[in-house]
Amino acid sequence: MTTRRILALQDVVNRVPVALEKSDKKVSEYYGSDVFGMDAMREFLSEEAFDSIQNSMHQGTIVERKMADQVAACMKAWAQSKGVTHFTHWFQPLSGATAEKHDGFFEPIAGGRAIERFSGNALVQQEPDASSFPNGGIRNTFEARGYTAWDPTSPAFIWGQTLCIPTIFISYTGESLDFKTPLLKSLHAIDKAATDVCQYFDKNVTKVIATLGWEQEYFLIDSALYNIRYDLQQTGRTLFGHAPAKGQQLEDHYWGSIPERVAAYMRDFEYESHLLGIPVRTRHNEVAPAQFECAPVFEETNLAVDHNLLLMDVMEKVAIRHNFRVLLHEKPYAGVNGSGKHNNWSLATDGGKNLLSPGKTPKTNLQFLTFFVNTVMAVYEHADLLRASIASANNDHRLGANEAPPAIMSVFLGQQLSNVLDDLEKAVHSGKMSPEEKTKLKMNIGRIPDILLDNTDRNRTSPFAFTGNKFEFRAVGSSANCGGPMTVLNAIVAEQLVAFKKEVDSLIDKKVEKDEAIFQVLKKYIIASKRIRFEGNGYGDEWKAEAKKRGLANIATTPGALDAMISKKSLNMFESQGILNHREQEARYEIALETYTKKIQIESRIMADMVNNQIIPAALNYQKTLIENAKGLKDILGAAEFKKAADTQIELIKEISEHVTIIKKAADDMTEARKNANNLDSAKKQAHAYCEKVKPFFETIRYNVDKLENIVDDATWPLPKYREMLYLR
Ligand code: ADP
Ligand code: MG
């Protein structure tokens, strides 16, 4: 019998790149044409409505109801001119994926006819019966309703034949049930805190935005192979698979020539992205075979987060046209690199100044150092919370696996800036500085070159690295909603800037001159946050030992890492910044634990299914062939000759039995461990049991299955192999 795998491989052999209609249009001619952006607004809105919307976009004010009616009517007219029939509120529940429920524009009217309608009410607010999204106990079923509310700061767009309106998702009692609401609040908090601090340097600053440029890593696999790997389908990763002889050792894939089929796919999803105004610009092969990356030009953080979520959806849908499946999981394959989503983050003023970019004068450099040191200090203060913000069952496989930053949070600054901070620490003293000392200090600061990019040694092993004019948070997982970690980062930096301002002001009140006061507080932070700075190799074991000495946490798995979400310090920080109250944050903690448990539970179940339905039968089948063969040899050979001829086969027969026995026992014990875990009475206990009692079986089972893969006849092995899945033409 031909196995499904062999049939699938035949499909793969016959694949050709999908030919794209060659368009001679430049990107600039169609960029953003499916977005209800400035151009569409100007064309379709009255001047009054246009101004009102602009206002709420910039100041975050609420759009008046009567304007909303007008905007809705115009949006509908615009969307209909592009063949759109439905609309949806597009939101980000805590399940991680985006959510949408499409409603038609048409409404039946008297006489059996219908008209198309879209009211301001429908635009501004909806009450989806969305009671099945994770809510961590915030919404008891009797008050199960939540509602979605328009976020005018992220423009509506058309995807398929549906007008999508970015919205927040909150409970009837006002608690946030999504990623977007706290993100928007954190952006507001950092705007306020950073604008206040900017007043020390530049009175013209009235607004500060956080900017985000993500880099999205992903794998591609031929859909024929994906379709017969149940583990990939249900868990996003391969639970079995022997390492291929050629993985990434030769480092020949990274930035290599992009395979034609893949290039066709990239062009296609980039085209779709550009219609949606997602500024993807960079593409390349990544380190692991069949791994790739794309990156956009950075944008305001809320928009960048929406764009990343939308992009992931676009990538998945477009992949199917090309007979690919895109794998966004953090670790689809063992033994080769996993995928991350580097979050490049900075702060910019309404005057267009990047606050994390050194300037040309001592004054602008002092401003730069202020934001720079405060960010380092914030990461120092809340390293554990930052770690928790990127914790997931998937990301556990990646962090610390010699390919991604370890679970220890540290900050990399580069030699040049490390020196600047060291100098500052020495030069400033708490007593009054002489005019000469001050001049010297300012001159030194003035010497920070405005372009550090070329000088900054790139440290790829740090979770949080300064890269010349921004920080790069490299520990974020590839499938994550960047909104989670970005909310934390904005929030902790906001809190830190508020504290900074308070300290500086109190010194100024004591008649310390402003610059000197700033210097003194910065010096204090430089000293306090030293432990978090690390310039060396983050992948090495020496760092683990060193970090331990420094007292930095190294929590390898999610259930433990999540504790930081509900520490007093974290709860107070979120509350003081007006981002999440205790109840909301505790609910998030519960959801994160439950999600972890469910993921491991699903992996464990699918593992047992595949072992019982696919692996053991294949092994026993092959064993049967060996047994029959040995019996046949016995029939035709004398005893002495038989022993010589059948030795290897008998060894193999025994080896198969041994592996099968171990696998079966481990799978049964694992089921038992699952039952025990399910009976525990708290989400925390369950998550720990799944992590510590269930997951360890994965390794035993996998090890033995992978051995069998190497023994059993290639023609009858049921699962696509690594060497097949990781090879793309
Ligand atoms: P690499 O890190 O691969 O060398 P770049 O430094 O050019 O590449 O940029 C990586 C990402 O950082 C891009 O998505 C880019 O848009 C983003 N980026 C650049 N400047 C900023 C900034 N000021 N704020 C946020 N993201 C930025
Ligand atoms: Mg980068």
Side-chain angles (χ1 to χ4, degrees):
M1 197 195 77
T2 318
T3 63
R4 275 182 291 194
R5 169 170 148 260
I6 303 296
L7 293 172
L9 286 170
Q10 281 167 9
D11 282 349
V12 177
V13 167
N14 295 327
R15 296 274 192 238
V16 285
V18 174
L20 293 180
E21 281 167 46
K22 198 165 168 358
S23 158
D24 38 18
K25 280 199 180 150
K26 289 185 279 209
V27 176
S28 55
E29 290 173 57
Y30 56 82
Y31 186 79
S33 57
D34 286 349
V35 180
F36 194 65
M38 289 295 200
D39 286 350
M41 283 191 214
R42 240 183 236 114
E43 187 180 334
F44 284 84
L45 294 179
S46 70
E47 208 169 307
E48 198 188 6
F50 181 80
D51 288 345
S52 156
I53 257 221
Q54 288 300 308
N55 244 357
S56 52
M57 281 174 72
H58 295 306
Q59 264 100 46
T61 52
I62 293 168
V63 181
E64 292 164 62
R65 213 44 168 233
K66 98 170 182 272
M67 285 303 151
D69 274 332
Q70 231 195 82
V71 175
C74 295
M75 266 191 198
K76 188 193 71 175
W78 168 77
Q80 280 182 321
S81 75
K82 294 172 152 292
V84 167
T85 55
H86 286 64
F87 72 95
T88 182
H89 277 194
W90 184 80
F91 59 105
Q92 304 167 24
L94 295 166
S95 58
T98 52
E100 49 191 82
K101 173 175 146 267
H102 301 198
D103 283 307
F105 282 134
F106 85 91
E107 267 176 33
I109 50 169
R113 304 173 59 91
I115 53 162
E116 263 83 25
R117 200 176 262 156
F118 184 44
S119 68
N121 282 349
L123 165 66
V124 171
Q125 191 170 318
Q126 294 255 292
E127 287 170 23
D129 178 24
S131 49
S132 296
F133 290 112
N135 62 69
I138 282 182
R139 295 154 69 207
N140 301 326
T141 25
F142 62 85
E143 48 154 317
R145 282 168 158 229
Y147 65 92
T148 51
W150 182 28
D151 165 20
T153 60
S154 181
F157 57 89
I158 296 168
W159 183 219
Q161 286 182 308
T162 302
L163 173 68
C164 302
I165 297 141
T167 55
I168 57 169
F169 178 41
I170 50 186
S171 78
Y172 232 72
T173 38
E175 282 101 352
S176 53
L177 297 169
D178 66 349
F179 283 103
K180 193 190 255 286
T181 309
L183 176 68
L184 289 171
K185 289 179 175 171
S186 78
L187 289 164
H188 179 71
I190 197 148
D191 171 14
K192 169 97 183 51
T195 303
D196 284 352
V197 169
C198 278
Q199 302 309 306
Y200 289 140
F201 311 98
D202 182 355
K203 297 264 185 251
N204 294 322
V205 175
T206 60
K207 189 175 170 65
V208 171
I209 59 163
T211 51
L212 167 64
W214 37 263
E215 303 165 54
Q216 178 73 53
E217 294 180 336
Y218 61 98
F219 280 83
L220 288 175
I221 178 174
D222 192 282
S223 54
L225 302 179
Y226 175 90
N227 288 339
I228 53 169
R229 287 278 325 206
Y230 306 117
D231 47 1
L232 274 181
Q233 287 175 28
Q234 309 228 337
T235 73
R237 75 180 181 107
T238 53
L239 299 171
F240 309 109
H242 197 281
K246 180 176 181 293
Q248 62 190 43
Q249 311 90 312
L250 298 177
E251 291 167 344
D252 51 351
H253 193 255
Y254 188 58
W255 289 21
S257 165
I258 299 174
E260 198 46 42
R261 259 184 88 194
V262 176
Y265 164 64
M266 289 173 166
R267 285 197 295 273
D268 207 357
F269 85 68
E270 285 168 8
Y271 172 74
E272 297 283 359
S273 303
H274 291 153
L275 290 175
L276 290 161
I278 307 171
V280 282
R281 195 160 68 166
T282 307
R283 52 162 105 119
H284 60 81
N285 287 7
E286 254 304 324
V287 171
Q291 190 189 25
F292 307 91
E293 177 181 306
C294 72
V297 178
F298 69 91
E299 300 176 283
E300 185 280 324
T301 298
N302 177 40
L303 187 59
V305 169
D306 283 1
H307 277 166
N308 178 252
L309 289 166
L310 184 54
L311 175 95
M312 292 196 283
D313 194 27
V314 170
M315 285 173 80
E316 282 176 348
K317 293 201 168 112
V318 174
I320 291 166
R321 288 184 208 157
H322 293 256
N323 292 306
F324 280 132
R325 295 304 292 244
V326 62
L327 306 177
L328 295 168
H329 191 287
E330 282 69 4
K331 191 77 176 179
Y333 300 102
V336 295
N337 277 13
S339 300
K341 175 147 57 195
H342 300 173
N343 279 204
N344 295 274
W345 174 93
S346 192
L347 295 170
T349 66
D350 46 356
K353 161 118 190 69
N354 179 349
L355 292 169
L356 287 172
S357 184
K360 291 194 187 338
T361 64
K363 192 168 110 184
T364 49
N365 275 344
L366 185 55
Q367 174 171 305
F368 158 71
L369 282 174
T370 295
F371 285 96
F372 181 72
V373 171
N374 272 290
T375 306
V376 176
M377 185 66 184
V379 174
Y380 166 73
E381 284 286 354
H382 291 285
D384 294 352
L385 182 61
L386 214 46
R387 162 72 182 96
S389 77
I390 46 106
S392 70
N394 297 0
N395 217 11
D396 280 359
H397 294 286
R398 181 178 157 260
L399 297 180
N402 256 331
E403 55 172 60
I408 311 162
M409 284 296 133
S410 68
V411 185
F412 170 87
L413 304 182
Q415 199 51 54
Q416 216 169 11
L417 285 167
S418 294
N419 291 345
V420 171
L421 297 200
D422 292 345
D423 288 348
L424 203 61
E425 185 187 330
K426 278 185 225 120
V428 180
H429 49 78
S430 47
K432 203 166 159 47
M433 293 171 88
S434 68
E436 294 77 41
E437 282 173 323
K438 252 190 272 177
T439 311
K440 189 158 166 256
L441 186 62
K442 285 191 184 163
M443 259 174 55
N444 277 343
I445 288 175
R447 278 197 213 106
I448 302 173
D450 57 343
I451 299 190
L452 288 159
L453 286 169
D454 297 335
N455 308 340
T456 313
D457 29 339
R458 285 300 181 93
N459 184 322
R460 304 264 169 210
T461 67
S462 173
F464 202 86
F466 187 69
T467 52
N469 56 4
K470 60 189 180 293
F471 281 98
E472 184 171 356
F473 189 18
R474 303 178 67 255
V476 183
S478 50
S479 67
N481 180 330
C482 312
M486 287 300 101
T487 297
V488 170
L489 185 56
N490 293 329
I492 63 177
V493 176
E495 182 199 45
Q496 182 54 51
L497 289 170
V498 170
F500 170 78
K501 176 123 196 329
K502 209 166 147 197
E503 291 198 64
V504 171
D505 284 351
S506 95
L507 287 175
I508 293 174
D509 284 347
K510 289 181 196 137
K511 303 285 177 263
V512 180
E513 189 250 341
K514 184 182 77 186
D515 284 358
E516 204 172 323
I518 292 172
F519 278 128
Q520 282 182 15
V521 179
L522 289 184
K523 173 186 165 144
K524 192 175 122 188
Y525 292 169
I526 291 168
I527 294 171
S529 63
K530 233 178 204 171
R531 278 196 300 156
I532 202 89
R533 277 160 54 188
F534 180 61
E535 301 289 301
N537 175 16
Y539 294 174
D541 283 334
E542 301 81 34
W543 172 225
K544 287 190 193 132
E546 163 74 14
K548 196 167 174 190
K549 251 194 263 162
R550 294 190 191 184
L552 300 177
N554 180 11
I555 306 174
T557 51
T558 295
L562 293 177
D563 283 348
M565 287 179 78
I566 49 157
S567 69
K568 264 221 162 67
K569 194 169 177 183
S570 302
L571 291 175
N572 291 343
M573 184 280 298
F574 278 128
E575 192 157 76
S576 74
Q577 295 311 302
I579 293 164
L580 290 160
N581 63 31
H582 291 199
R583 184 153 177 245
E584 288 172 307
Q585 181 63 4
E586 273 152 14
R588 264 152 222 267
Y589 169 69
E590 287 283 308
I591 293 168
L593 287 171
E594 281 168 13
T595 306
Y596 178 84
T597 294
K598 285 176 191 160
K599 287 219 162 155
I600 305 293
Q601 188 179 53
I602 292 168
E603 288 188 347
S604 167
R605 284 179 178 160
I606 194 88
M607 197 166 215
D609 285 358
M610 288 169 76
V611 158
N612 290 328
N613 299 167
Q614 297 188 292
I615 311 288
I616 294 181
L620 294 184
N621 238 331
Y622 181 57
Q623 195 187 41
K624 189 170 115 202
T625 311
L626 292 173
I627 291 170
E628 278 165 9
N629 192 50
K631 276 189 188 157
L633 285 175
K634 200 166 189 181
D635 287 349
I636 59 169
L637 299 174
E641 259 185 298
F642 170 73
K643 184 164 174 12
K644 228 165 57 190
D647 235 18
T648 316
Q649 291 176 48
I650 291 168
E651 268 317 302
L652 278 177
I653 291 167
K654 284 194 209 153
E655 228 180 284
I656 291 175
S657 286
E658 278 162 24
H659 290 307
V660 167
T661 309
I662 298 175
I663 291 170
K664 184 78 183 106
K665 171 144 184 12
D668 291 346
D669 290 351
M670 180 169 74
T671 307
E672 209 44 46
R674 249 183 6 236
K675 277 190 201 145
N676 292 338
N678 295 343
N679 285 333
L680 296 170
D681 60 4
S682 81
K684 180 172 173 165
K685 284 186 205 156
Q686 286 192 348
H688 276 281
Y690 267 92
C691 180
E692 288 138 31
K693 299 278 163 39
V694 176
K695 205 174 59 155
F697 286 109
F698 292 8
E699 222 173 292
T700 315
I701 296 174
R702 178 177 190 140
Y703 176 82
N704 286 281
V705 170
D706 292 355
K707 287 280 175 208
L708 283 175
E709 182 189 319
N710 254 5
I711 297 173
V712 172
D713 178 15
D714 186 58
T716 60
W717 188 252
L719 303 177
K721 299 184 173 184
Y722 270 35
R723 63 172 187 246
E724 294 153 357
M725 293 185 288
L726 286 167
Y727 177 74
L728 292 178
R729 284 178 298 132

